[in-house]
Amino acid sequence: MNIFSHLQSITKTSPKKIAITDGDRSFTYADLTTQTQQLAQGFIEQGVAPGDRVVFFLLDSYEEVLCYLASFYCGAIAIPLYENLRGEDLRYMLDQVEPTLIMTSGDLIEHIQPITKAPIFISVEALFAEPKTPMNDEIDTTALISFTSGSTAKPKGVMHTQRHIIENCLATQQHFKLDDDVVAQCSSLDFNASFCSILLTVIFVGGTVVIAQSHDADRKLNEIIEHSVTFMFCVPNNCYHLIQAATQRATIKHKLQYCLIGGDASSPELFEHFHQVFGFNLTAGMGMTETLFQCCAPAGDITHIGSAGQPIGDVKFKIIDDNGDKLPANEKGELLIHSPSLTSGYWQNSEATNTAIKAGWLHSGDIGYLDNDNYFYFLDRKKNIIVVEGDNVTPSEVETILRAHPAIAQVAVIGKPTHKETEAVWAYVNLTPNTTVTEIELIEYASQQLADFKVPTHIVILDQLPTNARGKIDRLALKSK
């Protein structure tokens, strides 16, 4: 049973139910089913064949959902590109996948048209055609290529099949015990966590998806209240801004039940502040572009704050040392993942595939440990470890210390090369409103709690930390500062 068949089964029982709300537009399950078939036929009549690449470079919208589903329907490979990509970054991804067809919008066409020769369309409706080609029911060929975030290295195209996506949706549904009364807010639909793990999961149970109309936290909060949203996902940086927006209001009447947080490290203080403002606990989770949603705490659980939860469904974890030997509980090493949703590899990059996947296990590059209850605690990315005169510094350890300072709202720690062929620890912070502190004061604060080689040599105060297309702190951008 492929993805479109799951949609059809809901449509048969609830054709008039609202599937997706996009601003002042609403679309029923019948609309979604019919228009997916019409767009798929349009793709086919433009020469798209099974295995061809369909790129969509769009703002979050109902049309983007149709592009995903229509690509799946006709056996093409869906390739969502982040809406704020520009210049060489955008060109790099297009060159990697060589699209047969590109969908974009009038707002974005000026950024993509000069750097590609592929046919470009700016209207989904203009491609609608009377369906006459049977659905491609293959679920084990590549259906989706998602690029890694590029926050620590050049983005790679990660391949997934429909089977991978379906397995992930079913595991997510079972973990949260979702049913057809769920209303989920979704944004950044080019992000696997948003489309594969949230939006499609909600569609599979016959719920309703509200597409966020802006990345602005205040507007998102308005939509949460107006549409009685019960379920959402956000990265820590966006969660922080949502809390800030909420604290500007005297009262908040909402129906949120679950807020899944992941995509980057979260502090205990963030959990505490969220509970104070919204009246329920965040749910920690974790996924990767390569594995989709892979682990999660029980909904609202705060008994293991600081962890990313336990493996969900049939996902398995183990921790290994530098020699590849499995480590016992509570010893830190690299996380390996075995999952029914594990990527089939990196697009046209067998070397990276063979390096990352060995004997069915993904070498994640994440450093952490499993506790006695099989909860995973993320410490840092292997690539982020800073080597100072031969000693290893874990950025997250330094970030945890600095984040506890009352003047610091957000922090990112990186290593920068020095003239001595070693690295120096640099920290970048932005401050909580109405506070002041100096670099010297922060360095002194850190020196009281960290070993000398871990203390940042520089702490740079910024109005805002740079983020990438997915809302994660952009460490590559910080390294260039």
Side-chain angles (χ1 to χ4, degrees):
M1 191 174 185
N2 63 17
I3 289 172
F4 186 76
S5 297
H6 279 274
L7 171 60
Q8 277 185 311
S9 68
I10 298 297
T11 301
K12 286 178 182 177
T13 58
S14 306
K16 295 183 180 180
K17 182 171 182 182
I18 299 299
I20 295 177
T21 294
D22 181 8
D24 58 4
R25 304 181 299 163
S26 291
F27 301 91
T28 65
Y29 274 89
D31 294 332
L32 185 57
T33 299
T34 299
Q35 291 174 6
T36 292
Q37 292 173 298
Q38 291 173 332
L39 182 57
Q41 186 63 44
F43 284 168
I44 291 166
E45 293 183 7
Q46 291 299 323
V48 174
D52 284 347
R53 276 78 64 203
V54 174
V55 161
F56 31 103
F57 181 53
L58 294 164
L59 302 175
D60 290 339
S61 59
Y62 173 70
E63 286 73 18
E64 186 167 10
V65 179
L66 284 180
C67 286
Y68 273 108
L69 296 176
S71 299
F72 298 157
Y73 183 95
C74 64
I77 301 174
I79 305 174
L81 297 183
Y82 330 136
E83 64 192 52
N84 54 357
L85 283 170
R86 299 291 184 268
E88 288 306 309
D89 290 337
L90 182 56
R91 185 194 302 273
Y92 169 80
M93 293 185 184
L94 291 172
D95 288 347
Q96 289 288 302
V97 298
E98 299 177 311
T100 300
L101 180 149
I102 296 173
M103 294 298 309
T104 189
S105 66
D107 297 325
L108 296 174
I109 190 170
E110 65 180 292
H111 303 296
I112 197 167
Q113 193 169 42
I115 57 176
T116 182
K117 295 180 180 179
I120 299 175
F121 297 87
I122 61 171
S123 170
V124 163
E125 290 81 2
L127 285 177
F128 283 172
E130 188 65 28
K132 57 187 177 184
T133 304
M135 171 180 61
N136 185 303
D137 57 7
E138 176 59 61
I139 65 171
D140 290 314
T141 56
T142 302
L144 173 67
I145 295 175
S146 297
F147 281 91
T148 54
S149 64
S151 57
T152 59
K154 202 73 172 173
K156 296 188 289 290
V158 178
M159 299 184 288
H160 281 291
T161 67
Q162 288 197 44
R163 187 185 298 278
H164 296 161
I165 298 168
I166 292 166
E167 291 279 1
N168 187 251
C169 289
L170 296 178
T172 305
Q173 172 192 341
Q174 291 164 8
H175 182 84
F176 286 99
K177 299 178 174 59
L178 300 177
D179 55 30
D180 62 2
D181 65 357
V182 63
V183 180
Q185 184 187 59
C186 286
S187 60
S188 301
L189 296 181
D190 45 51
F191 189 13
N192 274 357
S194 292
F195 181 78
C196 295
S197 301
I198 305 297
L199 187 147
L200 274 184
T201 299
V202 171
I203 294 298
F204 277 22
V205 299
T208 298
V209 172
V210 177
I211 297 176
Q213 297 300 291
S214 169
H215 295 296
D216 176 73
D218 201 57
R219 288 187 63 184
K220 280 189 173 183
L221 187 57
N222 287 340
E223 292 169 1
I224 288 167
I225 296 167
E226 178 185 350
H227 296 288
S228 299
V229 170
T230 61
F231 185 40
M232 67 178 295
F233 164 80
C234 61
V235 298
N237 184 54
N238 293 345
C239 187
Y240 165 78
H241 290 298
L242 190 67
I243 292 169
Q244 290 296 108
T247 56
Q248 303 304 310
R249 307 189 184 197
T251 58
I252 307 171
K253 293 183 179 180
H254 67 84
K255 293 188 177 180
L256 271 174
Q257 298 172 19
Y258 306 116
C259 181
L260 176 61
I261 187 166
D264 214 337
S266 303
S267 68
E269 291 78 16
L270 187 66
F271 279 71
E272 181 182 345
H273 293 161
F274 186 91
H275 186 273
Q276 289 172 352
V277 172
F278 288 96
F280 70 101
N281 294 316
L282 289 166
T283 298
M286 178 179 168
M288 296 180 67
T289 310
E290 290 87 345
T291 61
L292 306 180
F293 188 39
Q294 64 197 28
C295 70
C296 191
D301 173 61
I302 56 170
T303 60
H304 295 76
I305 282 188
S307 86
Q310 301 165 305
I312 65 169
D314 294 325
V315 176
K316 296 180 177 64
F317 283 180
K318 66 180 176 181
I319 305 293
I320 63 167
D321 62 18
D322 289 340
N323 297 318
D325 296 324
K326 184 178 179 181
L327 293 170
N330 302 307
E331 290 197 22
K332 70 177 184 179
E334 183 180 7
L335 172 67
L336 270 61
I337 305 162
H338 187 280
S339 170
S341 296
L342 177 62
T343 176
S344 42
Y346 299 109
W347 177 256
Q348 295 187 341
N349 194 338
S350 58
E351 181 180 354
T353 300
N354 294 334
T355 299
I357 304 172
K358 298 175 181 177
W361 288 82
L362 175 75
H363 290 243
S364 69
D366 288 340
I367 301 299
Y369 64 92
L370 292 166
D371 70 8
N372 293 326
D373 298 320
N374 207 35
Y375 280 74
F376 177 67
Y377 289 77
F378 171 82
L379 299 176
D380 226 308
R381 292 288 293 166
K382 203 171 183 178
K383 293 177 181 177
N384 291 344
I385 300 298
I386 304 166
V387 182
V388 179
E389 302 288 353
D391 291 311
N392 288 347
V393 178
T394 302
S396 61
E397 179 185 0
V398 183
E399 290 168 357
T400 297
I401 295 298
L402 289 174
R403 198 179 285 115
H405 190 287
I408 291 181
Q410 295 173 292
V411 57
V413 171
I414 62 170
K416 287 192 174 185
T418 72
H419 64 282
K420 298 178 181 179
E421 296 186 356
T422 182
E423 289 183 294
V425 179
W426 285 61
Y428 293 82
V429 303
N430 78 316
L431 305 182
T432 54
N434 305 314
T435 61
T436 57
V437 69
T438 67
E439 179 186 22
I440 294 173
E441 289 170 337
L442 289 176
I443 291 175
E444 175 62 25
Y445 171 81
S447 69
Q448 294 172 7
Q449 302 176 69
L450 291 166
D452 288 348
F453 69 92
K454 297 179 181 180
V455 176
T457 57
H458 299 80
I459 299 181
V460 181
I461 299 171
L462 300 175
D463 291 335
Q464 188 173 357
L465 297 186
T467 56
N468 62 22
R470 296 182 178 175
K472 296 182 181 181
I473 292 173
D474 192 337
R475 295 175 187 272
L476 286 180
L478 289 175
K479 281 182 180 290
S480 67
K481 283 185 176 292

